[in-house]
Amino acid sequence: MLALHGAGVSDGIAIGKAFVLERELPPLPQYEIAKHAIDAEVARFRGAVDAARQQLASIRTHIPASAPAEAMSFIDTHLLILDDKMISEVPVEIIRHERRNAEWALRSQSDELVAMFERMDDVYLRNKKIDVNQVVERVLRNLLMETPEQHEALSAGGIVIAHDLTPADTVMLKHKRVRAFVTDMGGPISHTAILARSLGIPAVLSVHSATRFIRHGEDLIVDGKRGVLIIGPDTRTLQEYRRLKQRILERQRELNRLRRSPAITLDGKRISLFANIELPADVKAATQAGASGIGLYRTEFLFMNRVGSPSEEEQFRSYVKVVKAMPGKPVTIRTLDLGADKQVDGGRGDAPASLNPALGLRAVRLCLHDTALFRPQLRAILRASAFGRVRLMIPMLSSQDELFRVLDLIEEVKHELRREKQKFSRKLPIGGMIEVPAAAISADLFAPYLDFFSIGTNDLIQYTLAIDRVDDAVSYLYDPLHPSVLRLIRLTIEAGRRARIPVAMCGEMAGDPRYTRLLLGLGLNEFSMHPATLLAVKRIVRESSQKALAGSAARTLKLLTTRNVHAMVEKLNSGLDAH
Ligand code: PEP
Ligand code: MG
């Protein structure tokens, strides 16, 4: 028995078998093809080459105009290599004449090509072997994708062990019955951690040596609360964890009784508890938890793991699905927040990464830069607004100019829709996310032009405390109770109150029951979170008086050190059942 420690980012206990996801190419299969199966094997090979071509073309369309010229020529080189007969035709001959499987045929051909480049005197040409290898690897990955064994292991409810999981990887795992995640890398507010919480499954990140110590099929226990991973547990430990799991289940059953109870404080304030969703399918969990609506729909997940962007029509259908599943309730559709760690291809594409992607062309900046990407989404959201209480929300606002440009674009799109006699709500509320310190500091300047604010604490903390969300080396600095963060939250709530617009919070802080009382005391009335945490927050709302908390919350803001703030918040929470 061996225990490893990491950051517990999603509560719960999982007991099951390890499924190790390999980032490296696995050993390539080698087998002979029966005569009658040759045509099918050739078709499989051509399919993988076509997919590679489409992937490269898609990466090409997403390269911003401001990127260095080499970025484009890099992709063009790969496209040329892919279309070269040596790569796209010779393996077909090998399959036909030597009856080898596609992977084997391609690898033996590429080995010869690489050897040929290595013999060249010209350094430039010699280095071309790197490009050849990258193109070949892309085709091989397409050939190996989703082998039946992988599919089976994941569907059987394995515990996924990976070096790192991008948000694109994680959202793909949503469709499988994965029991838990463990990764070598990652921090508590990375989107991978957020997705684990939204799946409601235990997760331990930044274990560092997980992929080194764990083998496929090994028995594991994952304790997502304590951040512990036990490899090969003995019978006593297993029994102990089974009991613990049972207790958690019982507590959850108790919480489920609150599903239909209103979220009203002891002093009679009605609090809105909204759900955060990533995909239309998540709406089910939101309604099951009794959410008052959707406070954050992260639409960028619709754009991931695919070739090309979804059309206006496809987006429209996805949004309408969510709206119809929430009749009479608000559905807050956030415009695209792509960039930083949320890359369409999971960051594995060949487009050069910017040096500081979190500070780069992300979210609304990317949308304003590439209006061909933005317009269809605006049209789809507006059209969906004819079917229910849609609210549109803009992420990562940092200047008023940016906001005005988006508002102008929305007006243009409305004009277009009117001309086309398409229906949309004339009163579609437009809100802004307050997640960049600049926006929080001047929230009063944004308020007159917006219908609501939503505080994105994940990014607000990242940018205020200068800690990269995905860098686990600095995740120890992540603290929602840092006095600077609390001041920015208060500033935003105050600006909203003065301008008489609602202020919500949709970052992870809103779904963490440890902060519910403090936030209520600061005057927050709308919380948006993963459905899995909604009832725990509701329980606290019902056991708290907002009026009584206001004084202590105000005093918290006068404290000089983070340690004192933590002590004060613990005092605020005393008397609550510790879960
Ligand atoms: C946030 O930043 O708090 C937020 C809700 O958005 P995301 O986590 O998707 O960046
Ligand atoms: Mg954000």
PDB file of all heavy atoms in Angstrom, residues 6 21 61 135 152 284 333 407 566:
ATOM      1  N   GLY A   6      -1.685  15.204  -3.100  1.00  0.00           N
ATOM      2  CA  GLY A   6      -1.778  16.274  -4.093  1.00  0.00           C
ATOM      3  C   GLY A   6      -2.803  17.285  -3.625  1.00  0.00           C
ATOM      4  O   GLY A   6      -3.136  17.337  -2.434  1.00  0.00           O
ATOM      5  N   LEU A  21      -3.978   7.316 -18.738  1.00  0.00           N
ATOM      6  CA  LEU A  21      -4.042   7.921 -20.081  1.00  0.00           C
ATOM      7  C   LEU A  21      -2.642   8.294 -20.521  1.00  0.00           C
ATOM      8  O   LEU A  21      -1.946   9.030 -19.824  1.00  0.00           O
ATOM      9  CB  LEU A  21      -4.883   9.198 -20.039  1.00  0.00           C
ATOM     10  CG  LEU A  21      -6.385   9.104 -20.176  1.00  0.00           C
ATOM     11  CD1 LEU A  21      -6.964  10.504 -20.215  1.00  0.00           C
ATOM     12  CD2 LEU A  21      -6.796   8.346 -21.421  1.00  0.00           C
ATOM     13  N   THR A  61      -7.143  28.503 -39.506  1.00  0.00           N
ATOM     14  CA  THR A  61      -8.162  29.563 -39.451  1.00  0.00           C
ATOM     15  C   THR A  61      -8.187  30.252 -38.098  1.00  0.00           C
ATOM     16  O   THR A  61      -8.699  31.345 -37.976  1.00  0.00           O
ATOM     17  CB  THR A  61      -9.581  29.026 -39.727  1.00  0.00           C
ATOM     18  OG1 THR A  61      -9.849  27.999 -38.781  1.00  0.00           O
ATOM     19  CG2 THR A  61      -9.751  28.505 -41.118  1.00  0.00           C
ATOM     20  N   VAL A 135       4.038  15.542 -38.388  1.00  0.00           N
ATOM     21  CA  VAL A 135       2.895  15.233 -39.256  1.00  0.00           C
ATOM     22  C   VAL A 135       2.521  13.757 -39.109  1.00  0.00           C
ATOM     23  O   VAL A 135       1.348  13.406 -38.967  1.00  0.00           O
ATOM     24  CB  VAL A 135       3.223  15.584 -40.725  1.00  0.00           C
ATOM     25  CG1 VAL A 135       2.139  15.082 -41.653  1.00  0.00           C
ATOM     26  CG2 VAL A 135       3.409  17.083 -40.881  1.00  0.00           C
ATOM     27  N   GLU A 152     -13.722   0.836 -23.599  1.00  0.00           N
ATOM     28  CA  GLU A 152     -14.284  -0.111 -22.636  1.00  0.00           C
ATOM     29  C   GLU A 152     -13.813   0.211 -21.219  1.00  0.00           C
ATOM     30  O   GLU A 152     -14.603   0.272 -20.286  1.00  0.00           O
ATOM     31  CB  GLU A 152     -13.812  -1.507 -23.020  1.00  0.00           C
ATOM     32  CG  GLU A 152     -14.790  -2.605 -22.657  1.00  0.00           C
ATOM     33  CD  GLU A 152     -14.242  -3.909 -23.157  1.00  0.00           C
ATOM     34  OE1 GLU A 152     -14.262  -4.111 -24.388  1.00  0.00           O
ATOM     35  OE2 GLU A 152     -13.753  -4.671 -22.339  1.00  0.00           O
ATOM     36  N   LYS A 284     -29.677  19.035 -16.846  1.00  0.00           N
ATOM     37  CA  LYS A 284     -30.400  18.047 -16.048  1.00  0.00           C
ATOM     38  C   LYS A 284     -29.966  18.141 -14.573  1.00  0.00           C
ATOM     39  O   LYS A 284     -30.809  18.200 -13.674  1.00  0.00           O
ATOM     40  CB  LYS A 284     -30.090  16.656 -16.610  1.00  0.00           C
ATOM     41  CG  LYS A 284     -31.084  15.630 -16.192  1.00  0.00           C
ATOM     42  CD  LYS A 284     -30.921  14.356 -16.989  1.00  0.00           C
ATOM     43  CE  LYS A 284     -31.482  13.208 -16.196  1.00  0.00           C
ATOM     44  NZ  LYS A 284     -30.815  11.969 -16.486  1.00  0.00           N
ATOM     45  N   ILE A 333     -26.182  33.247 -20.952  1.00  0.00           N
ATOM     46  CA  ILE A 333     -25.260  32.664 -21.939  1.00  0.00           C
ATOM     47  C   ILE A 333     -24.038  33.571 -22.043  1.00  0.00           C
ATOM     48  O   ILE A 333     -24.147  34.745 -22.403  1.00  0.00           O
ATOM     49  CB  ILE A 333     -25.941  32.526 -23.316  1.00  0.00           C
ATOM     50  CG1 ILE A 333     -27.252  31.723 -23.172  1.00  0.00           C
ATOM     51  CG2 ILE A 333     -25.003  31.852 -24.313  1.00  0.00           C
ATOM     52  CD1 ILE A 333     -28.010  31.523 -24.475  1.00  0.00           C
ATOM     53  N   LEU A 407     -21.282  46.367 -27.629  1.00  0.00           N
ATOM     54  CA  LEU A 407     -22.664  46.852 -27.692  1.00  0.00           C
ATOM     55  C   LEU A 407     -23.012  47.303 -29.113  1.00  0.00           C
ATOM     56  O   LEU A 407     -24.115  47.041 -29.602  1.00  0.00           O
ATOM     57  CB  LEU A 407     -22.879  47.990 -26.687  1.00  0.00           C
ATOM     58  CG  LEU A 407     -22.752  47.582 -25.206  1.00  0.00           C
ATOM     59  CD1 LEU A 407     -22.937  48.799 -24.291  1.00  0.00           C
ATOM     60  CD2 LEU A 407     -23.740  46.485 -24.819  1.00  0.00           C
ATOM     61  N   HIS A 566      -9.119  34.909   7.756  1.00  0.00           N
ATOM     62  CA  HIS A 566      -9.502  33.494   7.854  1.00  0.00           C
ATOM     63  C   HIS A 566     -10.128  33.208   9.217  1.00  0.00           C
ATOM     64  O   HIS A 566     -11.143  32.516   9.307  1.00  0.00           O
ATOM     65  CB  HIS A 566      -8.284  32.592   7.624  1.00  0.00           C
ATOM     66  CG  HIS A 566      -8.002  32.374   6.175  1.00  0.00           C
ATOM     67  ND1 HIS A 566      -8.418  31.250   5.509  1.00  0.00           N
ATOM     68  CD2 HIS A 566      -7.371  33.154   5.258  1.00  0.00           C
ATOM     69  CE1 HIS A 566      -8.040  31.350   4.240  1.00  0.00           C
ATOM     70  NE2 HIS A 566      -7.402  32.492   4.073  1.00  0.00           N
TER      71      HIS A 566
END
